Amino acid sequence: MEKSNQTLLSEFLILGLSQNPQLQVPIFIVFLLMYLFTLLGNLVIITLICIDKHLQKPMYYFLINLSFLDIGFTTVIIPKLLAVCLKAKKSDKSINFSACILQFYFMASFITTEFYLLSVMAYDRYLAICNPLRYASIMNKRVMVLLTVTSWTIGFLDIIPHVVLISKLSYCASNEINHFFCDINALLKLSCTDTFFINIATFGEGIVIGLGPFILTITSYVLIISNIMQIPSKTGRQKLFSTCSSHLTAVVLFYGTELGVYLRPTSSYSLDKDKIFAVMYTVVIPMLNPILYSLRNTDVKGALKKVIGKLRQTQTVLQ
């Protein structure tokens, strides 16, 4: 395309989930409640693990990091979505070009970090169940911190080349992002530049960053389930299955929605359908994780009951 037909954009317009004015208030209320529930649930998980000595184990250390990731996911995206819902005019739903690129960077970094962290958590469960006698010596504090730092470092460094490529693209006259955040697919739709290279790079990264950890996670759980099935006690098998089921459910939900979006051929992209997947992995899953990891975990439920009991005792004394 000729340079004269290109526009150097200083801002984008985020169209949001729906352009129907009658749906803006219901969307605002629903997502505000989901955001508050996500913050509350994950902050409760973090607080319980920090104050209860019985929860200060590698498994729950990784869970704290997952809660921070979930808070990061939603905080990067939902406040802007809520602001867009309150704007009546389309021209008021703008986001600065730099802010848009920054939003994409943090969102993609959190996603990549979670891919690796979920694999680390699966490896931790594999060691605990399949190598219980060596678990404490292998998953020591140094290894625990190293695995966590590596996950965060890869997550925040890996996406930098994509951010650079996207920021250097030329964009057409239209600056309307048909999404509720600065998603890479939505941005590429607006580009006047040939995006073949960045599409290939995105697909390739999806295979390495997405399928790589996913295969490691699934392999860990195949070995875990195989080991559990060899336990003669039915009660013992049920207890171990209960311990792993919450994490496995979170893995299936997260990987299923993420890989479903970013590993599809470019020709099959539909931004309207992508919005549904995006709501799942940016809003719904972070909200469900505290439920999955608390209601299905006896240790977390026990710690929560202790805190509630102490609060009741304090209230009784004050009265």
Coordinates of all heavy atoms in Angstrom, one line a residue, residues 2 74 185 276 311:
E2 N 0.4 2.3 -0.7 CA 1.2 3.5 -0.8 C 1.3 4.2 0.5 O 0.3 4.2 1.3 CB 0.6 4.4 -1.8 CG 0.6 3.9 -3.2 CD 2.0 3.7 -3.8 OE1 2.9 4.5 -3.4 OE2 2.2 2.8 -4.6
T74 N -6.3 -9.6 35.1 CA -7.5 -8.8 35.1 C -7.3 -7.3 35.3 O -8.0 -6.5 34.7 CB -8.4 -9.3 36.3 OG1 -7.6 -9.3 37.5 CG2 -8.9 -10.7 36.0
N185 N -4.1 -10.1 17.5 CA -4.9 -10.3 16.3 C -5.7 -9.1 15.8 O -5.8 -8.9 14.6 CB -5.8 -11.5 16.5 CG -5.0 -12.8 16.7 OD1 -3.9 -13.0 16.2 ND2 -5.6 -13.7 17.5
I276 N -14.9 -14.2 22.8 CA -15.4 -15.2 23.8 C -14.3 -15.9 24.4 O -14.3 -16.1 25.7 CB -16.4 -16.1 23.0 CG1 -17.5 -15.4 22.4 CG2 -16.9 -17.2 24.0 CD1 -18.4 -16.2 21.6
L311 N -11.7 -14.8 63.6 CA -12.4 -13.5 63.4 C -13.7 -13.5 64.2 O -14.1 -12.5 64.8 CB -12.8 -13.3 61.9 CG -11.6 -13.0 61.0 CD1 -12.0 -13.0 59.5 CD2 -10.9 -11.7 61.3

